[in-house]
Amino acid sequence: ERDGFEGTNIRAIAAEAGVAHGTVLMHFEGKQALLHTALFEDLERTWRAAKRHTKQRSLEAQLVALAKAFFDYYAARPVLSRALLRESLFASPPWSERYAEQVAEVHAHVAGLATEAKRRSELAPSADVALLGASFFSFYYFALLAWLQGGHPDPLRLFRGMLAQHLVGLRVERS
């Protein structure tokens, strides 16, 4: 975080950790693998915690809480977040598969929340829960990128607005 991804090298990491340069390379192929390992595990913890806090609320509140957990994670480390996002979007195996699995798990969770919302008559029976999951990610990534690139000061507010507008068309009409 202090030196940025580009400004960091394996020798400096090893020196700060008090180990030999080769020791770091025994465990990680390079600094990209080290970045992926460290931050992927952080994102996994963030995901597990966020998932626990999406119960007993409206669908909109649940989805906003999920997005907020990840936005808070990235806001706590904006420099590394830019590097992680750049590196994860174009990662090579095995990281590309791990990120894809994580996205699929979140997508399935969002679809499950939407299915429950349909059962509570919060969403129209015709609402496509898989498409809602894809919309969630579309809004989430757009808001995250807009914030990381300096185009929007508050990713949660942007996400919330896009989600609210989208959900209007999916709600059950009340007479």
Side-chain angles (χ1 to χ4, degrees), residues 5 16 50 76 95 105 111 121 130 147:
F5 182 72
E16 202 154 314
W95 295 105
E105 186 177 338
S121 296
W147 171 71

mmCIF file of all heavy atoms in Angstrom, residues 5 16 50 76 95 105 111 121 130 147:
data_model
loop_
_atom_site.group_PDB
_atom_site.id
_atom_site.type_symbol
_atom_site.label_atom_id
_atom_site.label_comp_id
_atom_site.label_asym_id
_atom_site.label_seq_id
_atom_site.Cartn_x
_atom_site.Cartn_y
_atom_site.Cartn_z
ATOM 1 N N PHE A 5 1.771 -0.928 -6.204
ATOM 2 C CA PHE A 5 2.136 -2.199 -6.832
ATOM 3 C C PHE A 5 3.354 -2.032 -7.737
ATOM 4 O O PHE A 5 4.298 -2.818 -7.675
ATOM 5 C CB PHE A 5 0.945 -2.752 -7.619
ATOM 6 C CG PHE A 5 1.204 -4.079 -8.249
ATOM 7 C CD1 PHE A 5 1.284 -5.230 -7.471
ATOM 8 C CD2 PHE A 5 1.368 -4.193 -9.617
ATOM 9 C CE1 PHE A 5 1.528 -6.465 -8.045
ATOM 10 C CE2 PHE A 5 1.601 -5.424 -10.209
ATOM 11 C CZ PHE A 5 1.679 -6.563 -9.422
ATOM 12 N N GLU A 16 11.631 -6.470 4.011
ATOM 13 C CA GLU A 16 10.692 -6.032 5.046
ATOM 14 C C GLU A 16 10.182 -7.208 5.881
ATOM 15 O O GLU A 16 9.922 -7.067 7.071
ATOM 16 C CB GLU A 16 9.534 -5.272 4.414
ATOM 17 C CG GLU A 16 8.860 -4.386 5.414
ATOM 18 C CD GLU A 16 8.178 -3.193 4.783
ATOM 19 O OE1 GLU A 16 8.760 -2.512 3.930
ATOM 20 O OE2 GLU A 16 7.029 -2.958 5.186
ATOM 21 N N ALA A 50 -19.840 -10.427 4.570
ATOM 22 C CA ALA A 50 -20.956 -9.738 3.906
ATOM 23 C C ALA A 50 -22.151 -10.658 3.763
ATOM 24 O O ALA A 50 -23.296 -10.233 3.946
ATOM 25 C CB ALA A 50 -20.509 -9.223 2.540
ATOM 26 N N ALA A 76 -10.544 1.044 1.891
ATOM 27 C CA ALA A 76 -9.522 0.942 2.927
ATOM 28 C C ALA A 76 -8.118 0.821 2.330
ATOM 29 O O ALA A 76 -7.133 1.069 3.030
ATOM 30 C CB ALA A 76 -9.807 -0.252 3.835
ATOM 31 N N TRP A 95 -5.446 -17.864 -11.063
ATOM 32 C CA TRP A 95 -6.195 -16.756 -10.460
ATOM 33 C C TRP A 95 -7.443 -16.425 -11.246
ATOM 34 O O TRP A 95 -8.469 -16.094 -10.643
ATOM 35 C CB TRP A 95 -5.276 -15.546 -10.279
ATOM 36 C CG TRP A 95 -4.222 -15.888 -9.298
ATOM 37 C CD1 TRP A 95 -2.907 -16.162 -9.563
ATOM 38 C CD2 TRP A 95 -4.403 -16.115 -7.908
ATOM 39 N NE1 TRP A 95 -2.265 -16.519 -8.411
ATOM 40 C CE2 TRP A 95 -3.163 -16.494 -7.366
ATOM 41 C CE3 TRP A 95 -5.494 -16.031 -7.048
ATOM 42 C CZ2 TRP A 95 -2.986 -16.789 -6.022
ATOM 43 C CZ3 TRP A 95 -5.320 -16.320 -5.711
ATOM 44 C CH2 TRP A 95 -4.080 -16.693 -5.215
ATOM 45 N N GLU A 105 -20.037 -17.478 -7.255
ATOM 46 C CA GLU A 105 -20.634 -17.691 -5.935
ATOM 47 C C GLU A 105 -21.463 -16.483 -5.505
ATOM 48 O O GLU A 105 -22.579 -16.627 -5.003
ATOM 49 C CB GLU A 105 -19.538 -17.974 -4.903
ATOM 50 C CG GLU A 105 -20.084 -18.339 -3.545
ATOM 51 C CD GLU A 105 -19.003 -18.684 -2.541
ATOM 52 O OE1 GLU A 105 -17.881 -19.048 -2.945
ATOM 53 O OE2 GLU A 105 -19.303 -18.584 -1.339
ATOM 54 N N ALA A 111 -28.793 -14.229 -6.877
ATOM 55 C CA ALA A 111 -29.955 -14.881 -7.492
ATOM 56 C C ALA A 111 -30.821 -15.545 -6.419
ATOM 57 O O ALA A 111 -32.056 -15.491 -6.483
ATOM 58 C CB ALA A 111 -29.512 -15.900 -8.530
ATOM 59 N N SER A 121 -43.098 -11.874 -2.484
ATOM 60 C CA SER A 121 -43.840 -10.968 -3.371
ATOM 61 C C SER A 121 -43.223 -9.581 -3.408
ATOM 62 O O SER A 121 -43.910 -8.588 -3.652
ATOM 63 C CB SER A 121 -45.314 -10.886 -2.964
ATOM 64 O OG SER A 121 -45.926 -12.145 -3.118
ATOM 65 N N ALA A 130 -31.439 -14.618 -12.519
ATOM 66 C CA ALA A 130 -30.079 -14.698 -13.056
ATOM 67 C C ALA A 130 -29.682 -13.370 -13.694
ATOM 68 O O ALA A 130 -28.550 -12.895 -13.534
ATOM 69 C CB ALA A 130 -29.966 -15.838 -14.066
ATOM 70 N N TRP A 147 -15.390 5.122 -9.396
ATOM 71 C CA TRP A 147 -14.745 5.650 -8.197
ATOM 72 C C TRP A 147 -13.226 5.537 -8.286
ATOM 73 O O TRP A 147 -12.502 6.514 -8.036
ATOM 74 C CB TRP A 147 -15.269 4.922 -6.960
ATOM 75 C CG TRP A 147 -14.509 5.249 -5.720
ATOM 76 C CD1 TRP A 147 -14.529 6.429 -5.038
ATOM 77 C CD2 TRP A 147 -13.603 4.400 -5.030
ATOM 78 N NE1 TRP A 147 -13.690 6.358 -3.950
ATOM 79 C CE2 TRP A 147 -13.108 5.117 -3.928
ATOM 80 C CE3 TRP A 147 -13.161 3.100 -5.229
ATOM 81 C CZ2 TRP A 147 -12.193 4.576 -3.042
ATOM 82 C CZ3 TRP A 147 -12.253 2.553 -4.335
ATOM 83 C CH2 TRP A 147 -11.779 3.296 -3.255
#
